[in-house]
Amino acid sequence: MLTVHAAPLVLPVGAAGVEEGAVAVDGDRIVALGPYDVVVAAHAAARVRRWPGVLTPGLRQWDGVPLLTRCYHPDPREADELGEQPLTGAGLERLAGQMDEPRRAGSVRRGLQRMLRHGTTHVAGAFAEPAVRTAVGRAGLTVVPPAGASAGEPDLDPFARGHGLAGTVYGPLAVGGRADLAVFDVPDEAALCAAGAVTCVATVLGGRLVYRRR
């Protein structure tokens, strides 16, 4: 389906931002990018989705391996006991005796869902475990090469590595490129880098809307 994603500010990265901008998507490809009026006029039959804030390329998660293989992502039903944040270190060790394969698989699925809620479309890592590779593939995330060991605790927010927008997105938005987009409810790039990916309101993966904040 041909869809136009519109936002008060589109930040393609590598090119100037577009106020009142839009990105037209057909299938899994970007077919137009520019001012809203121009894009809609050229694609009059398209479904239009209007978003608040800024629209950017999808984000790249550098901590993919530790987040999916060395963390436990609690089930919402476990929140009273375990909290809502990924468990590492001593917290993870306490669960070691209870960590059977179904529970590990559930953790991986929830970790991937939480990545999508942070605008992630690309994940760095070499996933040795077949079950994890399969889960990542089913989620539709693109796997990219790792960039060495991460310092500190893994973080679901790709901006936590402090690379700014250009160093956190997977690459620039471009006509003909894959439609991996993220939308954040902030007014501009500076506010996005300051507040982080927790402000994500939508993630589009290969043209599919895979997350929308309710």
Side-chain angles (χ1 to χ4, degrees):
M1 176 184 288
L2 184 60
T3 303
V4 170
H5 296 273
L9 179 61
V10 173
L11 297 173
V13 177
V18 183
E19 294 188 2
E20 298 303 326
V23 177
V25 173
D26 192 3
D28 68 348
R29 297 288 135 181
I30 296 172
V31 295
L33 188 160
Y36 173 81
D37 291 344
V38 174
V39 172
V40 169
H43 301 86
R47 174 182 185 176
V48 176
R49 290 188 182 273
R50 287 186 172 273
W51 303 106
V54 301
L55 186 155
T56 75
L59 306 186
R60 176 174 43 194
Q61 173 53 262
W62 292 112
D63 289 341
V65 171
L67 281 169
L68 296 179
T69 65
R70 298 197 290 275
C71 291
Y72 178 71
H73 299 270
D75 188 292
R77 294 168 295 185
E78 301 173 312
D80 289 344
E81 177 188 359
L82 301 177
E84 299 180 355
Q85 297 305 309
L87 296 180
T88 61
L92 182 61
E93 289 176 8
R94 284 194 292 271
L95 295 177
Q98 309 167 43
M99 198 62 66
D100 57 15
E101 284 307 307
R103 194 172 189 184
R104 277 179 48 78
S107 172
V108 171
R109 287 194 300 271
R110 290 188 294 273
L112 290 165
Q113 291 164 1
R114 287 164 182 167
M115 287 182 187
L116 294 173
R117 292 203 297 266
H118 285 76
T120 298
T121 60
H122 290 59
V123 60
F127 298 101
E129 298 179 39
V132 177
R133 283 202 307 272
T134 299
V136 172
R138 286 176 175 169
L141 293 165
T142 298
V143 178
V144 296
S150 300
E153 291 291 310
D155 199 305
L156 282 165
D157 186 346
F159 286 101
R161 294 292 165 227
H163 298 307
L165 182 60
T168 303
V169 299
Y170 75 88
L173 297 179
V175 173
R178 182 172 144 112
D180 291 329
L181 318 173
V183 186
F184 304 91
D185 192 8
V186 292
D188 53 33
E189 181 176 346
L192 173 57
C193 293
V198 69
T199 59
C200 182
V201 295
T203 304
V204 176
L205 196 57
R208 296 180 298 117
L209 182 63
V210 294
Y211 167 68
R212 179 176 188 173
R213 181 183 291 175
R214 301 297 181 187

